[in-house]
Amino acid sequence: MLQLQNLINGQLVPPVAGHYLPLLEPATGQPFGQVPDSDAADVDAAVRAAEAALPAWRAAPAEERGRKLVRLAELIEQHLESLARAESQDNGKPLSLARSLDIPRAASNFAFFGTAAGHFATEAHVQEGVAVNYTVRHPLGVVACISPWNLPLYLFTWKIAPALAVGCCVVAKPSEVTPYTAFLLSELAQQAGLPPGVLNIVHGTGPGVGQALVEHPGIRAISFTGGTKTGEQIARSAAPRFKKLSLELGGKNPNLIFADCDLATAVQTSLRSSFANQGQICLCGSRILVERRIYEQFKTAFLAQVRALTVGDPLDETTRQGALVSEVHLQKVLSYIELAHQEGGRLLTGGHRVLLPGRCAGGYFLEPTVFENLGPACRVNQEEIFGPVVTLMPFDTEEEAVRWANGTEYGLSATLWTRDVTRAHRVAQQLHAGVVWVNTWLHRDLRTPFGGMKNSGVGREGGLEALRFFTEAQNVCIKL
Ligand code: NAD
């Protein structure tokens, strides 16, 4: 059976205490491997290795660091198929999605930040005839990158790549639920020639490894993506130690559909933005607000397409909906379907677990589910479900749509559908969301800042923001 190992000081090693957790395949419910259940001793070894590697790595020319990252991007591209299969196996997502989205985006994270390393400039401020100030951005040192299970390799590399590019050394922890691609990345990092200790990957649980990393005195910054409750816990632990934090947290994203939109495209993209990866993307829109004039028309077209989504074996190329990531998560999502009924919701489609025959008989499958008749303040429209469950709500005015869209504790992303360019700008800028897409969804430009507002996070990532996050600025003032 597959047994994953930690990457510490350039070597693949077992956890110090020798403990492992089972790895389950969500599509079958069957174990297919073991992941280290590491602890503070493994974290300490990884931090020491990173500290030892730091002086040479931070002093290396940016171009040289960048070349290693670009090499890693090429290796990910060369191993695209095996990485996609690994991600589909431990996450339950359709293989076609892992192949077309997650893995290519992981490669482009390394390519983007690898090339950015050589273009990272700094500022000077001249006070004519008096002084010159210039800013030096020093790499912070050893940093922690902690990521969730929903886009395992994509989000893991999104954090690691900018940290390495600016000259930090990294101790990274993938989710214990989906660690397989991070393990394969360990092997590729060795092949890419990353010096030992520059990137360390420690597997294990949040309490066992994550907490030990956050508390370790050698860690200068924490880049975390995951749930809002975990983010709170990390912020509490990090605050007394004055560690720099970037927290990318949960969301409850609205789609605003105005009557003047291109309806066919709005329906098609809303289908994707609701149900891609079984709704387990932090940027999925789970509250679809539709202008009343086109509500029935939108609903009819949307439901027809939702009912046509094929739930099936993630390895089958025709599958559009794979398995949810775990039994625990499936039960959580089912409990919200029950709550939606209790809150007076009208079920329009879905709502039940799917039992597939054959290989996938024990898998965690759920019908894509749509409710209506739920008010904006009910729990189903306030709390993050993180599964294939969406609500439809008609609105009468732009003001009402914006108020409902903004009426949750979250502020991660929003999608806006209209042909009226003035309205697009006006509404976009009123939305409390770190990312607003107009007439599109999940469009990515790595140069832009990314991150949530309100309880969806602090500390922007992406582009220059991400590179700057992993540095500390120093001003040098020279008297003329
Ligand atoms: P989670 O918070 O349970 O776990 C995330 C990671 O944190 C895992 O690696 C976990 O082991 C670790 N962890 C848990 N407790 C910890 C602790 N005390 N200290 C340090 N690390 C700890 O989240 P999840 O269930 O894996 O992921 C789903 C959540 O992630 C959703 O809320 C989703 O919205 C969010 N998410 C946000 C974004 C974004 O960009 N904002 C992207 C993807 C996912």
Side-chain angles (χ1 to χ4, degrees):
M1 192 175 274
L2 176 71
Q3 192 166 63
L4 308 189
Q5 292 184 305
N6 293 328
L7 176 70
I8 297 178
N9 204 23
Q11 303 294 317
L12 290 170
V13 293
V16 173
H19 298 147
Y20 288 85
L21 300 164
L23 264 181
L24 299 182
E25 182 173 357
T28 63
Q30 297 301 311
F32 71 97
Q34 291 186 317
V35 55
D37 184 9
S38 313
D39 59 28
D42 303 283
V43 168
D44 192 53
V47 174
R48 281 174 201 281
E51 283 171 340
L54 186 63
W57 183 249
R58 67 186 294 166
E63 197 188 335
E64 189 183 313
R65 289 197 301 266
R67 261 203 300 270
K68 303 262 189 236
L69 301 190
V70 171
R71 178 73 193 122
L72 200 41
E74 289 164 357
L75 286 168
I76 291 174
E77 279 164 1
Q78 281 166 25
H79 292 80
L80 188 141
E81 188 61 22
S82 52
L83 286 162
R85 282 185 180 273
E87 181 145 322
S88 174
Q89 188 172 19
D90 76 359
N91 178 275
K93 72 182 53 175
L95 174 59
S96 55
L97 185 68
R99 193 190 278 136
S100 60
L101 183 92
D102 300 61
I103 308 302
R105 285 190 175 194
S108 57
N109 285 338
F110 279 118
F112 176 84
F113 287 110
T115 47
H119 299 263
F120 187 41
T122 184
E123 315 91 60
H125 299 93
V126 181
Q127 293 171 302
E128 286 77 6
V130 182
V132 176
N133 296 275
Y134 65 89
T135 308
V136 189
R137 295 192 186 275
H138 298 283
L140 274 170
V142 179
V143 299
C145 298
I146 304 177
S147 60
W149 50 257
N150 64 321
L151 301 166
L153 192 64
Y154 172 6
L155 294 176
F156 198 54
T157 54
W158 169 243
K159 302 176 167 306
I160 292 171
L164 295 180
V166 296
C168 289
C169 289
V170 172
V171 181
K173 187 197 108 52
S175 168
E176 64 275 29
V177 186
T178 55
Y180 194 4
T181 46
F183 170 71
L184 296 176
L185 181 72
S186 308
E187 297 178 331
L188 298 182
Q190 289 176 317
Q191 285 178 39
L194 275 187
V198 165
L199 171 63
N200 305 273
I201 299 177
V202 183
H203 296 276
T205 63
V209 171
Q211 191 66 32
L213 251 180
V214 171
E215 289 175 2
H216 197 292
I219 294 291
R220 296 290 318 281
I222 300 146
S223 171
F224 168 82
T225 300
T228 297
K229 281 270 163 287
T230 316
E232 261 177 58
Q233 162 74 25
I234 290 176
R236 257 196 303 273
S237 306
R241 299 170 177 89
F242 307 111
K243 297 186 181 197
K244 202 168 176 185
L245 279 185
S246 164
L247 302 174
E248 297 296 345
L249 309 175
K252 189 71 186 175
N253 310 312
N255 292 9
L256 281 68
I257 320 252
F258 288 93
D260 65 354
C261 71
D262 170 349
L263 189 63
T265 316
V267 168
Q268 217 171 43
T269 308
S270 299
L271 185 78
R272 229 164 46 83
S273 68
S274 299
F275 297 113
N277 203 26
Q278 298 74 248
Q280 302 167 128
I281 297 181
C282 54
L283 304 163
C284 277
S286 53
R287 298 179 293 145
I288 305 185
L289 315 180
V290 188
E291 193 166 350
R292 196 178 298 278
R293 276 194 288 146
I294 57 158
Y295 183 77
E296 289 302 326
Q297 212 184 337
F298 179 92
K299 182 168 102 180
T300 306
F302 185 66
L303 290 178
Q305 295 200 22
V306 176
R307 291 187 183 114
L309 285 173
T310 330
V311 180
D313 187 339
L315 297 180
D316 187 334
E317 297 293 340
T318 61
T319 291
R320 298 283 304 282
Q321 292 283 285
L324 270 65
V325 75
S326 66
E327 173 75 37
V328 174
H329 190 57
L330 172 69
Q331 293 307 328
K332 177 194 149 185
V333 178
L334 282 168
S335 77
Y336 273 101
I337 291 176
E338 179 53 35
L339 179 66
H341 286 295
Q342 287 166 17
E343 291 188 315
R346 185 181 305 124
L347 181 67
L348 297 174
T349 188
H352 302 100
R353 186 171 184 165
V354 178
L355 300 172
L356 294 175
R359 184 183 102 84
C360 294
Y364 316 130
F365 296 90
L366 184 63
E367 291 171 341
T369 299
V370 184
F371 279 95
E372 68 174 356
N373 202 36
L374 285 162
C378 74
R379 280 183 56 203
V380 168
N381 275 327
Q382 289 289 319
E383 298 175 16
E384 185 184 45
I385 300 174
F386 215 52
V389 180
V390 301
T391 59
L392 296 184
M393 281 185 277
F395 68 82
D396 289 305
T397 63
E398 185 180 299
E399 182 277 328
E400 187 173 57
V402 170
R403 184 158 38 86
W404 289 355
N406 287 341
T408 75
E409 68 180 72
Y410 296 107
L412 187 51
S413 70
T415 307
L416 174 54
W417 291 90
T418 178
R419 283 190 171 111
D420 178 340
V421 71
T422 312
R423 188 205 327 256
H425 291 292
R426 183 175 62 235
V427 173
Q429 291 177 34
Q430 290 177 66
L431 290 172
H432 303 157
V435 181
V436 180
W437 282 293
V438 180
N439 299 333
T440 184
W441 178 69
L442 213 59
H443 187 93
R444 187 167 89 144
D445 180 334
L446 283 169
R447 294 168 301 180
T448 61
F450 173 85
M453 294 179 177
K454 302 195 287 189
N455 289 2
S456 291
V458 289
R460 292 285 174 282
E461 295 187 342
L464 280 183
E465 242 84 21
L467 293 169
R468 284 193 178 143
F469 172 76
F470 290 108
T471 64
E472 55 193 345
Q474 176 190 46
N475 188 60
V476 178
C477 174
I478 304 169
K479 173 107 178 59
L480 294 180

